Amino acid sequence: MDLNDMIPIAEYARRIGKATITVADKCRRGNLPGAVKIGRDWFVPKDAEYPDFRVKSGKYIDARRKKK
């Protein structure tokens, strides 16, 4: 991937409406595909989608509640 197709995580975070530190954590953990660290700065592709790993199916609702 060409560096011209990459943007800093601060700009990416503004685009998606998230905090910069949240995007940086995703980069550090390897959860943001295509993220590259150059020096001390992280860069992501312009068209990268923000991964959302939340369970939205409702499968775990009341999972901790004791069953009688």
Side-chain angles (χ1 to χ4, degrees), residues 5-67:
D5 297 331
M6 308 288 271
I7 58 173
I9 60 169
E11 183 179 335
Y12 179 73
R14 269 194 305 276
R15 284 184 179 188
I16 62 170
K18 300 286 182 182
T20 305
I21 192 69
T22 305
V23 176
D25 282 342
K26 291 243 186 223
C27 291
R28 257 185 254 118
R29 293 180 180 153
N31 292 336
L32 194 59
V36 178
K37 188 171 186 180
I38 301 174
R40 66 181 181 107
D41 299 323
W42 284 96
F43 293 88
V44 294
K46 290 178 183 177
D47 57 350
E49 290 190 30
Y50 186 76
D52 189 6
F53 299 118
R54 296 178 292 174
V55 176
K56 298 176 185 176
S57 66
K59 181 179 177 182
Y60 298 107
I61 294 176
D62 294 330
R64 293 184 184 175
R65 190 175 284 177
K66 292 183 180 178
K67 298 190 181 191

